[in-house]
C-alpha cells in the first residue's frame, strides 16, 4: 500500500516539475487586437439629418418626374435587385443594385456628380405586388403599432448624397402600373405583350 502511495507521489511531482520547467508547453490564449470596422453610425446619423432637410424640396410629382426625364444630363436610376429590374422597370431607367453602391461603381455609371438623378422604388407603384411589392412591416395586433413603410428610396437618396451626388429628385406619387401614365419595359412587359398579341390572333381566327 505504501509502495503505491509512493509511486503516485512521484508521478504527481514529476508531472508538476515538467509543467513548471521553462519552455514546457503551456496553453495560453491571447486575443489579437484588430482595427475597428469601417462603420461610423454617428457620421451616418449626421448625414441622414442633413439629407432629411435637403430632400424636402426634391420630391416631385409624376408629371414633373417624366418632364425631367426628357431633359439632357438626366438619368432615371433603379436600385432594386437585378432580377426585379430585368422583369419590369420604368422605360429608359439604368440599373445599379443598392448593395453594389461604391464610389467606383457610381462614378463608372454616372461620371458627373452634377447629373440629375431621378429615383423611384417599389413603394411608388400599386397593383403589382410581384415586381413592385410594397416594402413595409405590419406589426402584430399585440404590438399596437402602426405599419412601417421601408422604402428603398430613402437609403438610396442618403447614399447618393453621401457619395457626392446631390442633384437627386425622388418620385413622390403612388402610381398604378396599369394607369397608362407611365411606360415600363422588361421581360414581364414583353411576355404580357406577347400574350395579348396571341390572344388577338386567336380572336381574329375565331371570327
Amino acid at each position: 500500500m505504501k509502495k503505491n502511495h509512493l509511486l503516485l507521489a512521484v508521478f504527481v511531482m514529476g508531472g508538476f516539475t515538467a509543467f513548471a520547467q521553462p519552455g514546457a508547453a503551456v496553453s495560453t490564449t491571447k486575443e489579437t487586437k484588430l482595427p475597428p470596422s469601417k462603420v461610423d453610425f454617428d457620421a451616418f446619423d449626421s448625414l441622414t439629418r442633413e439629407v432629411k432637410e435637403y430632400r424636402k424640396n426634391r420630391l416631385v410629382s409624376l408629371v414633373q418626374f417624366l418632364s425631367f426625364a426628357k431633359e439632357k444630363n438626366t438619368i432615371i436610376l433603379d436600385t432594386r435587385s437585378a432580377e426585379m429590374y430585368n422583369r419590369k422597370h420604368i422605360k429608359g431607367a439604368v440599373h445599379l443594385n443598392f448593395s453594389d453602391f461604391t464610389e467606383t461603381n457610381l462614378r463608372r455609371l454616372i461620371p458627373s456628380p452634377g447629373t440629375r438623378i431621378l429615383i423611384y422604388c417599389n413603394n411608388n407603384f400599386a397593383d403589382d405586388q410581384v415586381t413592385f411589392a410594397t416594402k413595409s412591416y405590419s406589426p402584430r395586433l399585440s404590438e399596437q403599432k402602426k405599419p412601417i413603410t421601408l422604402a428603398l428610396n430613402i437609403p438610396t437618396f442618403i447614399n447618393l448624397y453621401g457619395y457626392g451626388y446631390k442633384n437627386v429628385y425622388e418620385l413622390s406619387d403612388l402610381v398604378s402600373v396599369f394607369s397608362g401614365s407611365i411606360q415600363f419595359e422588361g421581360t414581364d412587359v414583353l411576355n404580357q405583350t406577347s400574350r395579348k398579341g396571341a390572344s388577338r390572333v386567336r380572336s381574329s381566327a375565331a371570327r
Side-chain angles (χ1 to χ4, degrees):
M1 188 71 176
K2 291 182 179 180
K3 184 177 180 181
N4 290 340
H5 286 171
L6 179 62
L7 289 174
L8 178 61
V10 171
F11 175 78
V12 171
M13 289 301 295
F16 177 79
T17 302
F19 180 79
Q21 285 180 349
V26 179
S27 176
T28 58
T29 302
K30 292 184 179 180
E31 183 178 349
T32 303
K33 182 69 174 178
L34 298 174
S37 70
K38 296 180 180 180
V39 178
D40 190 337
F41 188 94
D42 290 336
F44 189 80
D45 180 56
S46 178
L47 175 65
T48 299
R49 283 185 272 110
E50 182 178 335
V51 175
K52 182 178 180 180
E53 292 302 313
Y54 184 81
R55 176 177 170 268
K56 289 179 180 179
N57 297 319
R58 296 275 166 164
L59 300 173
V60 296
S61 66
L62 178 62
V63 172
Q64 186 65 70
F65 187 94
L66 296 177
S67 177
F68 277 157
K70 297 175 183 177
E71 298 178 6
K72 294 181 179 180
N73 198 38
T74 300
I75 68 167
I76 303 174
L77 178 63
D78 188 317
T79 64
R80 299 174 302 142
S81 69
E83 179 185 355
M84 292 300 103
Y85 171 82
N86 290 332
R87 291 184 64 168
K88 186 184 291 184
H89 58 266
I90 292 179
K91 188 174 183 179
V94 298
H95 178 255
L96 181 61
N97 192 316
F98 178 74
S99 64
D100 292 329
F101 269 33
T102 64
E103 186 173 5
T104 299
N105 289 341
L106 284 166
R107 289 289 183 268
R108 185 183 297 117
L109 181 67
I110 315 170
S112 172
T115 300
R116 181 195 285 138
I117 304 172
L118 308 176
I119 63 172
Y120 67 92
C121 70
N122 284 13
N123 290 20
N124 285 120
F125 297 103
D127 306 320
D128 182 354
Q129 289 299 304
V130 177
T131 52
F132 288 111
T134 301
K135 302 292 185 181
S136 65
Y137 168 66
S138 299
R140 292 170 295 182
L141 293 176
S142 60
E143 295 183 73
Q144 297 182 342
K145 295 180 181 179
K146 294 181 179 179
I148 302 172
T149 57
L150 301 164
L152 184 58
N153 276 339
I154 295 174
T156 296
F157 201 121
I158 294 170
N159 275 262
L160 285 172
Y161 186 99
Y163 278 111
Y165 295 91
K166 298 184 178 182
N167 195 11
V168 181
Y169 289 89
E170 177 187 330
L171 179 60
S172 63
D173 292 338
L174 179 64
V175 186
S176 170
V177 295
F178 304 116
S179 66
S181 57
I182 192 166
Q183 289 184 295
F184 296 95
E185 57 187 0
T187 56
D188 280 15
V189 178
L190 289 173
N191 292 337
Q192 186 178 16
T193 302
S194 298
R195 287 195 296 271
K196 287 182 178 179
S199 178
R200 290 195 191 99
V201 170
R202 288 195 297 270
S203 178
S204 298
R207 290 174 185 172

